[in-house]
Amino acid sequence: MTILVTGAGGFVGSAIARELTDRGHIVIALMRQKVSGLSFPQIILQDLQDTAATAHRLNDIRCDVLVHAAARMAGVSRDAQQADYSLNENITRNLLAGVSRHPPSFVLCVSSIDVYAPTDDSIDETAHVAPAGDYAISKLTTEKMCQVWADAQNVGLGIARLTQIFGPGDRTGKLIPMALAAIRAGHPIKLFGDGEDRRDYLFVQDAARLVADWTERLVVGKLNLATGESRSINEILELLGGISPTGIRIERHPRQKPRRNYQFNTTELSNTLGPLSFTPFSTALRMAYDSAS
């Protein structure tokens, strides 16, 4: 298949584009600017925020599938609360307008589990949606924009809600990359609260494999891409302490946000994409550590 991947210069998008390329698909990698170390047979350099230029560049593009992974991610900097996430809606609007002349037969919209309402219950695809914060709102709006467009174009749509992704190349301000950056700099890792907050961490290469499996099956619907296993911050720090030759130092601070634990039911995911197999967490964490060293 010919697959257009947006955000192919980013953390998640580049992993997806590489996985699809490795599987023999014709990948058209759309990225805002050239990224060192990334090479694909077909690359489109285009800032999707530019309405007129996007329409011009994409007007004659033909693809079987569109994987929309371009977005401003949450937690990319310490000033994430100040970020303008409305651009996620703008780039989606421009992208869909740009491919409307030759619409693909299927679109996979890469979204986030942040669209769900806070809960201590296990989360599945039927869980209540109530995004809190500008980033989550922008991702849900992006989903809805893709749905309206897909319905109007009679195009199949998949919506992939990704849990917390980590791995080589992660430069967000989330736990694992921040901890790795602190270790590399010889600084203490800042821990806010007691460290018992639990998250479902998905290795970026496993996320890319799941997206590629989904793309090849052209499955219409929503799926949460998660492992189904949650780990506490303390567990992560203990593993990092065992990986780092010099160990780690922890600087403890009072909790700044209410505790929220995430637990996902992956039944629908396995029923749709088949038996799930993930990179062992310790191995994936080691790979992230080695890439940051």
Side-chain angles (χ1 to χ4, degrees):
M1 292 188 294
T2 299
I3 304 172
L4 174 63
V5 180
T6 71
F11 173 49
V12 176
S14 62
I16 293 171
R18 281 194 296 265
E19 177 68 23
L20 290 167
T21 299
D22 290 345
R23 295 188 184 201
H25 296 290
I26 301 170
V27 172
I28 304 172
L30 192 155
M31 56 186 76
R32 184 163 46 90
Q33 58 191 10
K34 184 65 176 175
V35 178
S36 176
L38 286 182
S39 178
F40 299 102
Q42 297 187 49
I43 294 177
I44 296 177
L45 299 180
Q46 178 58 53
D47 185 347
L48 291 174
Q49 296 182 67
D50 188 326
T51 304
T54 298
H56 176 73
R57 291 298 300 275
L58 299 184
N59 193 45
D60 292 323
I61 294 295
R62 297 174 184 267
C63 61
D64 302 304
V65 174
L66 166 62
V67 177
H68 181 29
R72 169 167 284 172
M73 295 176 63
V76 172
S77 73
R78 294 181 182 276
D79 299 323
Q81 294 86 351
Q82 309 299 323
D84 180 11
Y85 292 113
S86 65
L87 72 81
N88 290 337
E89 302 162 26
N90 294 335
I91 65 176
T92 301
R93 183 180 300 106
N94 292 339
L95 169 68
L96 296 176
V99 298
S100 289
R101 181 179 179 186
H102 303 292
S105 60
F106 185 79
V107 173
L108 184 59
C109 172
V110 178
S111 187
S112 168
I113 54 91
D114 287 343
V115 302
Y116 289 115
T119 179
D120 288 327
D121 296 331
S122 178
I123 299 173
D124 63 15
E125 286 73 11
T126 66
H128 180 55
V129 171
D134 292 343
Y135 171 72
I137 292 171
S138 78
K139 296 307 289 183
L140 184 59
T141 302
T142 295
E143 290 183 13
K144 292 179 178 179
M145 292 170 68
C146 288
Q147 187 67 69
V148 169
W149 182 87
D151 289 345
Q153 297 284 347
N154 195 28
V155 167
L157 174 67
I159 295 174
R161 292 173 175 165
L162 274 61
T163 184
Q164 193 157 135
I165 310 296
F166 76 100
D170 186 357
R171 295 183 298 275
T172 64
K174 296 183 179 180
L175 170 65
I176 292 177
M178 289 292 286
L180 293 175
I183 293 171
R184 184 172 63 251
H187 296 157
I189 298 171
K190 294 183 179 181
L191 174 61
F192 296 88
D194 60 7
E196 287 304 310
D197 307 63
R198 305 186 72 83
R199 297 289 186 271
D200 187 313
Y201 296 93
L202 179 62
F203 189 43
V204 66
Q205 293 176 14
D206 293 333
R209 178 175 49 79
L210 290 171
V211 168
D213 288 346
W214 192 344
T215 300
E216 292 175 338
R217 289 168 171 79
L218 305 179
V219 178
V220 173
K222 299 181 180 71
L223 288 175
N224 297 326
L225 302 192
T227 68
E229 183 174 355
S230 297
R231 293 176 170 83
S232 71
I233 294 174
N234 288 328
E235 291 177 59
I236 306 298
L237 297 180
E238 183 178 355
L239 285 170
L240 286 174
I243 291 173
S244 172
T246 58
I248 62 173
R249 292 180 293 139
I250 299 175
E251 183 181 285
R252 298 185 179 275
H253 297 267
R255 179 179 295 278
Q256 294 184 335
K257 298 178 181 179
R259 174 178 293 166
R260 182 180 178 187
N261 297 320
Y262 288 86
Q263 178 67 51
F264 288 90
N265 181 333
T266 57
T267 300
E268 188 65 24
L269 180 64
S270 60
N271 286 344
T272 302
L273 299 184
L276 303 178
S277 176
F278 299 103
T279 305
F281 186 77
S282 58
T283 301
L285 196 61
R286 163 68 72 172
M287 293 172 67
Y289 174 86
D290 290 343
S291 73
S293 301

